[in-house]
Amino acid sequence: MPGFDVYGPPDFGREPDWLPRELAGHSAVRLSQSFIEAWRKCPRSAVAERRPTYGLAAAEGIAAHSIVDRRIAAQAANDEIDAAAAAEKVAELVGHGWTPPEGFIERATAKANVLTNLYLDLYHQYQPNIETEVSGMMIFDVRDDPRTAAEFIIITGTADLVVTIPDTDHRVGVDWKTGTTMPEPWEVQRYVVQQRVYSPMFDLDEMVFHYPLALNPLDGSKGHWVAQRYKGIVRCEADAPTRERYRQQIVEECVPISDRLLRSSDPFDHDIRPTGWHCSAKWCQVFARGECLGVHREVAWVDKSLREAGEDANAIQTRRTT
């Protein structure tokens, strides 16, 4: 599913699949939690990347997640389960313009094995009180808010695991991270959109982020220093009052976003925000196409970014088509 969708008067009578039936005939904007995070980095880039983009590491992580989800759902691990999960994700990746290189399935499976062992060590004991690949939605009625022409804002997301601890009703959301770096816990606890959205969306008392490959890279190299210091785990607690404040914070942030998207979904009608690592040919489709800042190849660092991205397997490999 794309990072955002817009439903306005021109669409009335042709309701999309993502729209709840009760909202038919009302202007609505759907935002995924990952889109909100991307918008924070750069609105133009976020809108341009409405369709997924993949580099090698990201694609391997997506396939690894799929394999682990199938294993947990089946409560089994075998070649047939792994092959079906991998084939499904490879077809999805190829459909978005990405070509898996040689050894892709093997590397994705190796990552899946790490996540599976983590699940067995920490969460399998709570079966059958575990849900995997849990889709969620929050709907906000903003008809009385003069800052947006949207009537409803829909926030969506998918949790890797939701665990209910027996005899306590304590609910824990789990997210597997397959990158080789890890942010400091305070950054995640204070600012990351995912835990602010998932805590109220899934009524979580705690959100746990695991970074096992940042702690112990598959190539045997030294782990990331933050992962080593914090054992590759970030825990975010949220009681009922905190979850309600998160709901309020999220809708406050998304009201102006919804208005701008309802008015236009053309990337070039949205602001640029060249303020961090994401503004490069490696991570941004607009930049990689030689547009926006990427058009200025006479600037040394821009030219360097464009050249290096073409040689980096982890750089995005699809390009904007809308």
Side-chain angles (χ1 to χ4, degrees):
M1 183 180 288
F4 77 95
D5 285 295
V6 174
Y7 170 77
D11 308 304
F12 292 173
R14 295 179 288 108
E15 284 65 44
D17 292 340
W18 58 266
L19 186 77
R21 288 184 179 182
E22 65 270 22
L23 302 190
H26 296 282
S27 298
V29 175
R30 185 197 66 83
L31 309 172
S32 71
Q33 63 84 19
S34 57
F35 176 83
I36 301 169
E37 195 77 67
W39 180 280
R40 287 181 174 185
K41 295 183 178 72
C42 179
R44 182 176 297 178
S45 179
V47 175
E49 295 180 13
R50 183 177 184 180
R51 301 294 170 180
T53 57
Y54 307 105
L56 180 59
E60 289 174 357
I62 290 168
H65 275 74
S66 180
I67 293 170
V68 174
D69 291 338
R70 290 286 188 93
R71 290 174 175 177
I72 296 173
Q75 286 295 285
N78 57 52
D79 292 344
E80 184 178 351
I81 290 173
D82 292 358
E88 178 183 312
K89 284 303 170 185
V90 167
E92 181 181 309
L93 294 165
V94 171
H96 288 133
W98 191 84
T99 303
E102 184 177 352
F104 171 77
I105 297 297
E106 291 76 12
R107 289 189 297 272
T109 302
K111 292 183 177 182
N113 291 340
V114 172
L115 302 182
T116 301
N117 288 332
L118 194 60
Y119 159 78
L120 291 172
D121 289 343
L122 299 178
Y123 300 108
H124 180 67
Q125 62 183 305
Y126 299 118
Q127 282 288 357
N129 301 305
I130 292 179
E131 300 172 87
T132 184
E133 197 71 5
V134 188
S135 296
M137 175 184 294
M138 293 191 293
I139 300 174
F140 298 96
D141 185 339
V142 292
R143 283 176 287 186
D144 293 332
D145 196 318
R147 297 172 297 169
T148 179
E151 295 177 273
F152 292 90
I153 297 173
I154 302 168
I155 310 295
T156 57
T158 303
D160 290 336
L161 287 182
V162 174
V163 182
T164 302
I165 308 301
D167 303 321
T168 66
D169 291 329
H170 187 83
R171 288 172 60 82
V172 180
V174 177
D175 195 79
W176 315 119
K177 299 298 185 184
T178 56
T180 55
T181 61
M182 173 178 164
E184 292 203 55
W186 67 267
E187 296 177 280
V188 179
Q189 291 159 351
R190 294 184 187 181
Y191 305 122
V192 167
V193 170
Q194 192 173 15
Q195 73 100 1
R196 291 192 185 195
V197 168
Y198 285 9
S199 293
M201 179 180 287
F202 300 110
D203 199 25
L204 303 177
D205 300 287
E206 186 177 5
M207 183 83 197
V208 182
F209 298 89
H210 291 281
Y211 298 80
L213 297 172
L215 181 62
N216 295 301
L218 288 176
D219 63 5
S221 60
K222 185 177 180 180
H224 187 251
W225 69 271
V226 176
Q228 290 185 317
R229 176 175 292 182
Y230 297 101
K231 308 301 182 185
I233 298 175
V234 176
R235 297 184 182 276
C236 306
E237 297 182 351
D239 57 16
T242 299
R243 293 194 293 271
E244 181 54 33
R245 296 300 175 269
Y246 284 164
R247 284 178 57 89
Q248 295 171 8
Q249 291 172 7
I250 287 297
V251 71
E252 184 71 16
E253 180 173 0
C254 292
V255 161
I257 299 175
S258 69
D259 187 64
R260 295 189 63 184
L261 290 175
L262 196 61
R263 295 178 188 280
S264 175
S265 57
D266 183 333
F268 289 89
D269 286 335
H270 297 278
D271 301 335
I272 64 170
R273 197 168 293 160
T275 55
W277 55 265
H278 52 83
C279 188
S280 71
K282 182 175 179 178
W283 301 113
C284 174
Q285 288 194 38
V286 184
F287 196 122
R289 284 172 61 90
E291 301 167 346
C292 197
L293 268 66
V295 75
H296 302 292
R297 293 202 75 144
E298 67 277 14
V299 177
W301 74 267
V302 171
D303 182 68
K304 182 174 184 288
S305 178
L306 289 163
R307 286 187 288 104
E308 290 182 347
E311 302 168 358
D312 191 335
N314 285 321
I316 58 173
Q317 294 188 23
T318 60
R319 296 291 182 261
R320 179 172 57 81
T321 58
T322 55

